[in-house]
Amino acid sequence: KEIQTIENAHKARILCVDHNPNKPYHIVTCSADRTIKFWDLRNSSKPLKILSNHSHWIWCAKFNRFHDQLVISSSSDSNVALWNIVSVSSAPLGELEDNTKQEDTLTKIYKEEHEESVYWASWSANNAWVFASLSYDGRVVINHVPPAVKYKILL
């Protein structure tokens, strides 16, 4: 198909869409309905996963281009969220050292960096562990993935 539509993808305005760099048919959308939805375009009748942790509009959700299980989201609640979403990533769902399955998690909420709505977030183009966020208070904030998360992915 040349054109594809996901009818009623969200209950409110969709504010951002991003393609998974490692899974060509997967996208993430976020909306004023305070949800993040992951989609497989080959079967878009229902989302693969729905996340909801922000208390206001979610302006942006972005896949990490090197480690697509890492997703950042930014919101009008002045927060940036770092997610580790293994279930819809290209990462293997193998066993960890303690014989437990990897699970999808909200890794960290960055609350103190912004005082106003955070309307954009973006991963670094050359460093897999760095991301930036922009807010209406005029701040550009550069953050890093916590070392514990980084090493859990690498090792």
Side-chain angles (χ1 to χ4, degrees):
K1 289 186 201 179
E2 289 186 33
I3 297 175
Q4 184 170 358
T5 303
I6 302 174
E7 297 290 337
N8 302 313
H10 285 269
K11 294 177 183 174
R13 291 180 300 163
I14 296 173
L15 300 172
C16 185
V17 62
D18 191 33
H19 288 264
N20 185 323
N22 301 316
K23 293 181 93 172
Y25 296 104
H26 285 206
I27 63 170
V28 62
T29 58
C30 61
S31 167
D33 67 7
R34 302 183 325 248
T35 63
I36 300 168
K37 295 184 180 182
F38 295 85
W39 304 89
D40 184 335
L41 297 176
R42 295 168 295 184
N43 181 11
S44 60
S45 59
K46 65 178 187 171
L48 297 170
K49 183 156 194 78
I50 301 173
L51 305 175
S52 179
N53 193 53
H54 288 285
S55 61
H56 208 261
W57 299 351
I58 303 173
W59 285 99
C60 186
K62 295 288 185 180
F63 284 104
N64 182 302
R65 71 178 64 192
F66 302 102
H67 304 285
D68 61 353
Q69 70 265 40
L70 295 177
V71 175
I72 49 174
S73 60
S74 63
S75 170
S76 295
D77 62 9
S78 304
N79 294 332
V80 176
L82 174 64
W83 305 85
N84 190 4
I85 310 299
V86 178
S87 66
V88 295
S89 75
S90 61
L93 292 172
E95 301 283 329
L96 296 175
E97 290 177 10
D98 59 0
N99 292 326
T100 59
K101 292 278 187 194
Q102 294 184 37
E103 294 183 8
D104 295 342
T105 57
L106 172 59
T107 302
K108 184 172 181 179
I109 298 259
Y110 297 85
K111 294 183 178 188
E112 307 301 322
E113 288 83 359
H114 296 284
E115 294 177 6
E116 297 281 338
S117 296
V118 184
Y119 61 90
W120 199 255
S122 180
W123 288 99
S124 170
N126 61 1
N127 186 332
W129 313 110
V130 174
F131 59 93
S133 54
L134 309 172
S135 62
Y136 283 116
D137 58 17
R139 293 181 186 171
V140 176
V141 176
I142 308 299
N143 272 306
H144 297 265
V145 173
V149 175
K150 175 180 175 179
Y151 296 128
K152 190 173 184 179
I153 290 170
L154 292 176
L155 302 176

